Amino acid sequence: MIMRIFQVVTRPGKEAEFSRFFHETAIPLMKSTDGCLTVLPGAARPESPREFSFVMVWRDLAALKAFVGEDYRSAHVDPAEAEIVESRTIHHYDLVET
C-alpha cells in the first residue's frame, strides 16, 4: 500500500473559499475514489489558517495512477482549486503496517 501526503497552502484571503472546496468537493471525491482505502483530511487550524492536508492510503501504485495518471508524483489539481491555491507539496511512502 502507498501512503500519499498532499499539503496545500491557500492564497491569502482564499481560506474560506478553499475550505468550502475541501469539505464539499475534495473530501467526498477522495472518499468515493476506487483504490483509495483511507482518507484522513486535515483542515486548517487557527495558527496555520492557510494550510490544509490529506493523508491517503492507496491499495497500490496502479490504483493511484488510475486516479492521477502516470505522473503520480505531481499533484492532481481540480480546476476549482487552481486559482485559490498558492502552493502544493506531495510525498509518497510505502505504508508500514503495525
Side-chain angles (χ1 to χ4, degrees), residues 22-83:
F22 187 69
H23 288 92
E24 297 171 10
T25 303
I27 293 170
L29 172 66
M30 295 316 306
K31 286 185 170 187
S32 68
T33 299
D34 183 49
C36 188
L37 306 177
T38 303
V39 177
L40 300 170
R45 295 190 38 84
E47 67 271 15
S48 53
R50 296 174 48 213
E51 298 177 15
F52 295 77
S53 69
F54 271 111
V55 176
M56 297 163 273
V57 177
W58 290 83
R59 180 179 55 237
D60 53 29
L61 186 56
L64 176 56
K65 285 182 176 181
F67 178 67
V68 298
E70 285 297 313
D71 186 13
Y72 69 94
R73 291 181 181 102
S74 294
H76 178 79
V77 179
D78 186 291
E81 69 177 292
E83 297 301 315

